[in-house]
């Protein structure tokens, strides 16, 4: 094929709305992939997708816990705009079911309006799990957000069921059935939301995969001394080695199923017509910093990079450059504008969204210059501002606060907040942080005013909760 023919073929593909498959995992640390440099964990299919696309080394969740981070991916809003400040503990099923994103536009609403057939297989965990929402016409979801991997509580065709099989396999089976029903008359969007590799890890994963890690030394996640803020429910009293084997096995079993999805797209001859995305909802520590868990693995909640960085891989052969690693700082609040720009859909101009599209990066072009390369995060009263070289964490109302020089201390070992000579830096970053949140926060559901503890949200936030407590302390 000549150069002109190749360019013409690429342009034709760009002009055609692609199919979209978004694979979203639960508690997958950005460090836990072979393509990210981990020599112990086996992720050949994620590595294959990375070889066929672009991996982001500095992709940040908007909140280091599942439900708020997922709500931000769906809506482009930060938690203090969408009102989901912690993982959803109540309001998933039954008479108390709550649609936490009711009245808010999700990117799947926009895709459905543009003619996409939208399907969801796996974890929803944003309230009222029994009711299809946000443009989805195929709806096979977990009743809550997590469970044992065998006999998991799911919702199929509007009915509460318990699936006897291994949940990661079962979610994939449903996703493949959705793909089988697509006839090419319309573009499709498919979310495959695994509960893996979230706990439980012991006695919950295929034993042959667990056993395959018997000789692993787990050098990539050394067990550091227990962090003084570590929560009581973290698995410190359990067999750490068995937990590590289970976590690694959960990732590898998920990777095997991701391979089934990629193979299916290949066999249908639509891989080149499909934007394939793999992401995690939040980061995870398996002993890093002396923590087992993510942001709520400690109290007060933490904002270590291992908690807020997520794996992120984008691939569409012929459109996205292959085998590329992008080091630009991007966030989950950038995801919605990027995806809509990629497929040529207009973002609703009524939304006051904080993110911006990194679509040009996916095409191998230079990204438009932002005012600053800055990432913001929040988890209730805990907020973070991060640049390439510095991180400042502020905890309302009393602290403690943190300041890290990432250029000299990338592992965040030395909190400089009280050292002489650092006050100017911390004051400047706090000013930037507060100005940014003041610009985007809905004061009626401001997380800094909510008593978020990390033990789950049981109702709507702020004034929408009609005076009822949204947090749960135990």
């Amino acid at each position: 094929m000549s150069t002109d023919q190749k360019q013409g073929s690429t342009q034709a593909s760009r002009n055609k709305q692609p199919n979209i498959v978004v694979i979203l995992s639960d508690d997958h640390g950005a460090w836990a992939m072979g393509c990210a440099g981990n020599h112990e964990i086996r992720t050949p299919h994620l590595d294959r997708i990375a070889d066929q696309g672009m991996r982001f080394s500095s992709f940040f969740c908007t909140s280091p816990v599942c439900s708020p981070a997922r709500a931000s991916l769906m809506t482009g809003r930060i938690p203090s705009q969408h009102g989901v400040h912690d993982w959803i503990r109540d309001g998933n099923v039954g008479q108390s079911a709550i649609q936490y994103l009711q009245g808010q536009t999700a990117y799947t609403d926009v895709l459905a309006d543009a003619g996409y057939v939208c399907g969801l297989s796996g974890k929803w965990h944003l309230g009222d799990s029994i009711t299809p929402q946000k443009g989805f016409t195929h709806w096979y979801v977990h009743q809550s957000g997590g469970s044992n991997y065998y006999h998991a509580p799911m919702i199929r065709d509007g009915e509460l069921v318990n699936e006897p099989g291994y949940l990661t396999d079962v979610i994939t089976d449903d996703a493949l059935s959705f793909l089988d029903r697509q006839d090419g008359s319309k573009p499709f969007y498919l979310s495959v939301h695994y509960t893996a590799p979230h706990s439980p890890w012991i006695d919950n994963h295929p034993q042959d995969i667990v056993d395959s890690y018997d000789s692993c030394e787990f050098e990539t996640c050394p067990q550091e001394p227990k962090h003084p803020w570590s929560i009581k429910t973290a698995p410190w009293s359990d067999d750490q080695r068995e937990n590590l084997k289970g976590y690694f096995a959960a990732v590898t079993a998920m990777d095997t199923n991701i391979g089934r999805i990629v193979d299916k797209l290949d066999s249908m001859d639509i891989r080149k017509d499909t934007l394939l995305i793999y992401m995690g909802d939040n980061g995870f520590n398996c002993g890093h910093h002396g923590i087992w868990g993510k942001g709520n693995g400690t109290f007060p909640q933490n904002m270590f990079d291992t908690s807020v960085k997520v794996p992120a891989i984008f691939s569409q052969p012929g459109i996205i450059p292959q085998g590329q690693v992008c080091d630009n700082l991007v966030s989950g609040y950038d995801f919605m504008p990027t995806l809509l720009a990629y497929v040529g859909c207009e973002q609703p101009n009524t939304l006051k969204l904080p993110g911006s599209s990194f679509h040009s990066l996916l095409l191998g072009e230079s990204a438009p210059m932002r005012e600053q390369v800055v990432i913001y995060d929040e988890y209730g009263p805990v907020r973070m501002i991060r640049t390439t070289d510095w991180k400042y964490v502020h905890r309302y109302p009393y602290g403690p606060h943190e300041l890290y020089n990432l250029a000299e201390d990338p592992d965040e070992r030395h909190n400089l907040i009280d050292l002489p000579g650092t006050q100017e830096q911390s004051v400047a970053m706090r000013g930037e942080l507060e100005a940014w949140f003041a610009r985007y926060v809905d004061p009626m559901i401001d997380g800094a005013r909510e008593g978020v503890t990390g033990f789950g949200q049981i109702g709507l936030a702020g004034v929408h909760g009609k005076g009822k407590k949204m947090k749960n302390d135990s």
Side-chain angles (χ1 to χ4, degrees):
M1 182 182 292
S2 69
T3 301
D4 289 343
Q5 287 175 318
K6 288 180 180 179
Q7 291 175 343
S9 175
T10 299
Q11 187 61 46
S13 297
R14 288 184 181 180
N15 291 336
K16 177 183 178 182
Q17 283 190 314
N19 305 309
I20 309 166
V21 176
V22 175
I23 303 172
L24 185 64
S25 59
D26 193 359
D27 284 4
H28 188 192
W31 52 270
M33 299 187 295
C35 56
N38 190 309
H39 64 277
E40 294 179 312
I41 200 162
R42 297 193 309 278
T43 56
H45 300 290
L46 287 174
D47 301 347
R48 171 169 48 140
I49 299 172
D51 285 341
Q52 296 173 345
M54 182 178 295
R55 180 176 68 84
F56 285 79
S57 63
S58 293
F59 200 113
F60 294 84
C61 60
T62 55
S63 184
V65 71
C66 58
S67 296
R70 290 163 181 262
S72 292
L73 289 173
M74 293 295 298
T75 66
R77 303 182 181 200
I78 60 173
S80 286
Q81 288 176 304
H82 57 59
V84 181
H85 293 294
D86 208 346
W87 59 275
I88 301 300
R89 190 183 185 102
D90 197 16
N92 294 300
V93 294
Q95 293 183 345
S96 63
I98 300 169
Q99 292 191 16
Y100 283 89
L101 299 184
Q102 188 171 27
Q104 302 184 44
T105 300
Y107 68 80
T108 46
D109 289 315
V110 179
L111 293 177
D113 288 344
Y116 275 81
V117 178
C118 297
L120 171 58
S121 301
K123 176 171 176 170
W124 169 243
H125 209 189
L126 292 170
D128 192 9
S129 298
I130 203 165
T131 304
Q133 301 165 51
K134 304 304 169 195
F136 288 106
T137 53
H138 175 71
W139 186 262
Y140 173 69
V141 301
H142 199 282
Q143 290 179 26
S144 55
S147 65
N148 287 335
Y149 282 76
Y150 294 96
H151 303 284
M154 301 295 288
I155 297 170
R156 186 185 293 277
D157 299 326
E159 299 293 329
L160 305 183
V161 298
N162 286 83
E163 296 287 7
Y166 180 59
L167 183 56
T168 306
D169 294 343
V170 172
I171 290 171
T172 307
D173 291 343
D174 184 79
L176 296 179
S177 295
F178 173 86
L179 292 176
D180 279 332
R181 295 194 296 274
Q182 306 313 305
D183 61 9
S185 60
K186 293 183 177 180
F188 66 80
Y189 170 88
L190 172 62
S191 276
V192 186
H193 291 185
Y194 292 115
T195 61
H198 195 288
S199 63
W201 303 302
I202 298 176
D203 298 327
N204 262 271
H205 301 283
Q207 195 59 46
D208 60 329
I209 302 179
V210 175
D211 292 344
S212 71
Y213 284 105
D214 280 346
S215 61
C216 184
E217 296 182 3
F218 298 110
E219 299 170 338
T220 53
C221 42
Q223 301 306 290
E224 302 180 27
K226 186 177 180 180
H227 195 285
W229 298 350
S230 182
I231 61 172
K232 295 179 180 178
T233 53
W236 287 100
S237 60
D238 298 334
D239 186 327
Q240 298 302 82
R241 183 170 181 80
E242 289 303 311
N243 278 313
L244 287 168
K245 287 168 58 179
Y247 183 87
F248 276 45
V251 172
T252 295
M254 177 181 67
D255 181 84
T256 299
N257 278 278
I258 290 171
R260 295 173 62 198
I261 294 171
V262 178
D263 289 346
K264 183 68 172 180
L265 297 175
D266 284 336
S267 70
M268 295 172 68
D269 196 26
I270 57 172
R271 178 70 177 90
K272 67 180 184 305
D273 300 320
T274 303
L275 171 63
L276 178 60
I277 301 171
Y278 174 76
M279 295 180 63
D281 58 356
N282 47 252
F284 202 75
N285 302 270
C286 284
H288 307 81
H289 294 284
I291 299 168
W292 272 80
K294 54 263 190 182
N296 62 350
T298 61
F299 186 81
Q301 298 97 311
N302 74 85
M303 290 284 181
F304 290 120
D305 270 9
T306 40
S307 295
V308 295
K309 272 190 177 183
V310 300
I313 306 170
F314 294 71
S315 174
Q316 187 181 0
I319 305 295
I320 298 175
Q322 299 194 34
Q324 300 293 308
V325 177
C326 180
D327 297 323
N328 289 54
L329 276 63
V330 292
S331 170
Y333 50 66
D334 298 320
F335 182 72
M336 177 173 172
T338 300
L339 185 61
L340 294 180
Y342 190 94
V343 300
C345 287
E346 290 286 336
Q347 179 172 292
N349 57 16
T350 57
L351 300 182
K352 182 183 177 183
L353 299 182
S356 57
S357 172
F358 54 86
H359 175 215
S360 59
L361 292 176
L362 294 178
L363 301 181
E365 302 168 357
S366 297
M369 291 297 293
R370 301 187 185 189
E371 295 177 8
Q372 302 177 65
V373 181
V374 180
I375 296 294
Y376 299 89
D377 239 274
E378 64 171 315
Y379 193 168
V382 182
R383 287 179 174 166
M384 178 199 85
I385 175 173
R386 189 196 191 283
T387 66
T388 302
D389 294 336
W390 289 90
K391 175 186 287 189
Y392 173 76
V393 179
H394 191 87
R395 294 180 174 88
Y396 295 92
Y398 306 120
H401 313 309
E402 295 170 276
L403 178 70
Y404 296 100
N405 183 339
L406 301 175
E408 298 179 0
D409 178 27
D411 293 330
E412 301 170 89
R413 302 296 181 184
H414 307 292
N415 182 9
L416 307 179
I417 195 70
D418 294 323
L419 291 185
T422 63
Q423 279 67 36
E424 184 176 349
Q425 180 69 33
S426 58
V427 168
M429 295 190 78
R430 178 180 177 179
E432 286 187 59
L433 179 141
E434 294 188 336
W436 189 86
F437 276 97
R439 180 179 178 185
Y440 293 110
V441 160
D442 179 347
M444 300 297 184
I445 51 175
D446 188 347
R449 301 177 183 177
E450 298 282 356
V452 179
T453 62
F455 285 96
Q457 184 164 335
I458 60 174
L460 294 171
V463 296
H464 304 303
K466 299 179 180 178
K468 296 180 181 179
K469 187 173 71 168
M470 64 142 275
K471 65 174 182 173
N472 199 310
D473 295 319
S474 60

